Amino acid sequence: MDVYREDALYSAYYKAHGFKYQIVVSACGIMEDVSGPFGGRWNDAEMVRDTLLEERLQTLFDAHDPYYIYGDPAYGGFTFIQRPLDTTTMSPGENYYNSKMASVRVSVEHAIGLVATTFPAIDFVRQEKLGLGGVGVKYLVACMMRNMMTCIRGGNQISDMFGVQPPSLSEYLRYE
């Protein structure tokens, strides 16, 4: 799909044109994986398949002691991506699980909000014109800079919520 065609940018869900990003946030408040931009028409499952996120998670996680990332209900049918349980026939334990995990999912929204509030120019729709300024690149750079700020400040609201310290700036910038 050509992400730069106007119809590819339209999201019927949001009833607007725009880009979407797939973001994986760790408990220390760092955006570990930022992929995009994708056209507004792309759904979450398409983004996972296009970025090979499931395959990359498989190489990171041990099948005998698996870890998972938690996504919204649209992330169905993946091994290493869990989602809320079906609400039609839930036990009290399953209801408790959904309510606890909902707060985990909110951390991704907090990360997106931190990027937008720290760098408001990237969130100003009228200023960002397709083909006139590298909208996607600006957003990816803003995410990296927000991560660096989290390291320098020793955390953010996400790391505070989970009680996990982010890496130092030198650890974050280390490339191996």
Side-chain angles (χ1 to χ4, degrees), residues 74-119:
Y75 288 100
F78 296 104
T79 304
F80 295 100
I81 304 172
Q82 290 190 352
R83 64 186 183 149
L85 301 171
D86 182 13
T87 59
T88 56
T89 58
M90 286 198 325
S91 69
E94 291 170 329
N95 190 29
Y96 178 76
Y97 170 84
N98 270 3
S99 66
K100 285 297 187 186
M101 295 306 287
S103 65
V104 171
R105 227 178 81 222
V106 168
S107 64
V108 175
E109 303 303 327
H110 287 298
I112 294 166
L114 286 170
V115 173
T117 57
T118 306
F119 304 102

Side-chain angles (χ1 to χ4, degrees):
M1 179 183 294
D2 183 4
V3 73
Y4 297 109
R5 284 189 7 233
E6 186 174 331
D7 62 328
L9 296 175
Y10 185 75
S11 169
Y13 180 79
Y14 293 108
K15 295 180 179 36
H17 288 83
F19 290 115
K20 293 174 73 174
Y21 296 86
Q22 177 182 274
I23 300 174
V24 176
V25 180
S26 65
C28 69
I30 295 293
M31 290 171 276
E32 300 288 349
D33 189 80
V34 181
S35 300
F38 296 95
R41 293 180 61 182
W42 285 55
N43 67 42
D44 294 343
E46 288 175 315
M47 290 188 286
V48 168
R49 282 190 287 279
D50 189 71
T51 63
L52 304 176
L53 179 61
E54 178 78 3
E55 290 82 356
R56 291 184 291 133
L57 292 172
Q58 187 173 10
T59 64
L60 292 173
F61 299 155
D62 182 351
H64 301 293
D65 188 22
Y67 292 92
Y68 303 94
I69 63 174
Y70 191 75
D72 65 27
Y75 288 100
F78 296 104
T79 304
F80 295 100
I81 304 172
Q82 290 190 352
R83 64 186 183 149
L85 301 171
D86 182 13
T87 59
T88 56
T89 58
M90 286 198 325
S91 69
E94 291 170 329
N95 190 29
Y96 178 76
Y97 170 84
N98 270 3
S99 66
K100 285 297 187 186
M101 295 306 287
S103 65
V104 171
R105 227 178 81 222
V106 168
S107 64
V108 175
E109 303 303 327
H110 287 298
I112 294 166
L114 286 170
V115 173
T117 57
T118 306
F119 304 102
I122 64 164
D123 201 34
F124 187 56
V125 176
R126 283 178 232 140
Q127 185 176 348
E128 298 296 350
K129 304 290 185 200
L130 185 59
L132 296 179
V135 177
V137 172
K138 287 179 186 176
Y139 190 81
L140 296 173
V141 169
C143 288
M144 186 179 82
M145 292 185 69
R146 183 61 235 185
N147 277 349
M148 292 168 49
M149 291 173 69
T150 296
C151 294
I152 291 167
R153 294 179 177 170
N156 59 27
Q157 64 196 56
I158 301 162
S159 63
D160 292 346
M161 181 172 96
F162 292 107
V164 178
Q165 283 294 112
S168 68
L169 183 59
S170 62
E171 289 171 325
Y172 175 71
L173 294 174
R174 185 179 314 138
Y175 182 78
E176 295 180 18

